[in-house]
Amino acid sequence: MMQPEQRKARGVGVLAAAGALTLATAMNIGVAAADEHPGEGVTVQPAVATWTSAVPVSWVFVELLEELGYDVQNPISLSNPVAYLAISEGDAHYWPNGWFPLHEPQLPENFGDEATLFDAHCPACGIQGYLADKASVEEFGITGIDDFKREEVRAAFDATGDGKADLFGCPPGWGCHEGINAMLDKFELHDFVNHVDAGYAANFAEALSRIEAGDSALYYTWGPSAWLLSLVPGEDVMWINAPGIVEDEAELAEDIAGAVTDPIYMGYVAADIQVAANNDFLEDNPAAAELFRQVSLPLVWVSEVDQRMDAEDLSDPMVRPLAQEWIEANRETVDGWLEAARAAAD
């Protein structure tokens, strides 16, 4: 029979063992929690582009990083060159709205040393170019941008009375602003075409108003986007040729709905949409880096949200629930991305 002292000692041992087991279990739970949320305790500052279709993309990345435990601040809206500078200097950690090769001239000299461009989360998704109202295209036989050297064409598209056709384009700081000016240089069109470089929404509204009133209008746009749903190529407007702007055969596009020719020289290479992120942040946060490699977003969904933003006058915060809905509707795929990100942190 065990003596009382022995029972007491045995009891202490059992309690100690139980305590050790409890502590070990707690530690294991803590490890599991850490694995589940590798970003715990890390504050992240995203940047977001100034165009509306960038907003739903931005919120998807915010939501997924938060699922990894990161404390993600509200994205800062920045113009392209400022965003890339902020990323290279670490003032912003990432932005998911890079359009390449369009944005390459806007990168700081040391960008490749300080930051990383990830493979496209939407490859060759960005189509862009120049459109004129369908009635004018048919009336004047317009096939390309060089037709605007013709006096009768200039007169029809002259909204300001300065003797030049008005091209409703992009504001300074946007990649398309530089692209349009390069096009005018290439075709020696500065004496014939005036680049209206006000805010894009105002420019598009002016083009839309003129076309709805039965007047001629020439403008730049991109897609998929709400803009292509407001003035439909092939119905309201036509894509016109701008050959030779980009020294790349990729600017020659086929099967473009509403193009005056097939194939058509769009004047721009179809853009890959990519995440740009600060290298120091990536080194310290392999889970975030892996997430940036994993995510793939459909432009159809982005365009639909972009259209809703325009039609319903949604503010940026009002778009976030739509990103949450998309994530839940694609939970199995999303969970695969998150699992890969968590595994990268081990």
Side-chain angles (χ1 to χ4, degrees), residues 224-241:
S225 69
W227 315 114
L228 292 183
L229 302 178
S230 297
L231 287 171
V232 180
E235 297 180 14
D236 308 306
V237 293
M238 302 291 290
W239 296 101
I240 64 173
N241 283 279

Side-chain angles (χ1 to χ4, degrees), residues 70-330:
Y70 290 97
D71 177 17
V72 187
Q73 305 299 295
N74 282 333
I76 303 172
S77 180
L78 298 175
S79 66
N80 307 343
V82 177
Y84 293 122
L85 182 62
I87 290 166
S88 66
E89 294 181 350
D91 294 326
H93 294 123
Y94 76 95
W95 97 325
N97 306 130
W99 277 45
F100 290 92
L102 179 66
H103 288 178
E104 285 178 359
Q106 300 178 338
L107 298 179
E109 282 188 19
N110 66 336
F111 189 79
D113 298 327
E114 304 297 335
T116 295
L117 289 173
F118 287 83
D119 287 345
H121 59 75
C122 196
C125 284
I127 186 173
Q128 51 191 321
Y130 305 98
L131 300 106
D133 62 286
K134 186 177 181 180
S136 296
V137 167
E138 293 174 348
E139 179 180 354
F140 298 107
I142 296 170
T143 59
I145 198 71
D146 54 348
D147 284 315
F148 287 84
K149 291 183 177 179
R150 292 157 46 195
E151 184 175 355
E152 70 274 16
V153 176
R154 292 202 312 275
F157 287 82
D158 183 3
T160 58
D162 63 357
K164 299 180 182 181
D166 288 296
L167 192 168
F168 297 99
C170 300
W174 287 30
C176 48
H177 183 269
E178 298 175 9
I180 292 169
N181 288 337
M183 180 272 293
L184 297 178
D185 290 339
K186 176 76 175 183
F187 288 98
E188 299 181 345
L189 282 169
H190 288 285
D191 291 337
F192 307 99
V193 175
N194 172 44
H195 179 192
V196 182
D197 59 0
Y200 188 81
N203 271 350
F204 184 85
E206 180 64 22
L208 176 63
S209 176
R210 286 182 59 81
I211 291 171
E212 288 180 338
D215 296 325
S216 302
L218 170 68
Y219 66 99
Y220 161 92
T221 200
W222 69 91
S225 69
W227 315 114
L228 292 183
L229 302 178
S230 297
L231 287 171
V232 180
E235 297 180 14
D236 308 306
V237 293
M238 302 291 290
W239 296 101
I240 64 173
N241 283 279
I245 302 303
V246 182
E247 300 300 326
D248 192 316
E249 280 301 311
E251 70 170 333
L252 185 62
E254 298 181 346
D255 301 322
I256 302 297
V260 293
T261 60
D262 185 21
I264 182 172
Y265 285 95
M266 298 296 289
Y268 297 86
V269 176
D272 291 336
I273 303 177
Q274 300 172 246
V275 174
N278 177 270
N279 282 344
D280 289 340
F281 171 75
L282 296 173
E283 184 176 352
D284 294 339
N285 295 277
E290 185 60 31
L291 182 71
F292 296 154
R293 295 186 188 97
Q294 292 287 324
V295 173
S296 176
L297 297 176
L299 253 291
V300 172
W301 172 74
V302 176
S303 297
E304 291 171 352
V305 175
D306 191 40
Q307 184 182 37
R308 286 189 61 179
M309 291 178 69
D310 180 57
E312 302 173 24
D313 195 24
L314 301 180
S315 65
D316 287 12
M318 295 167 70
V319 177
R320 187 168 189 173
L322 303 181
Q324 294 167 341
E325 290 174 8
W326 183 86
I327 288 170
E328 290 308 316
N330 295 273

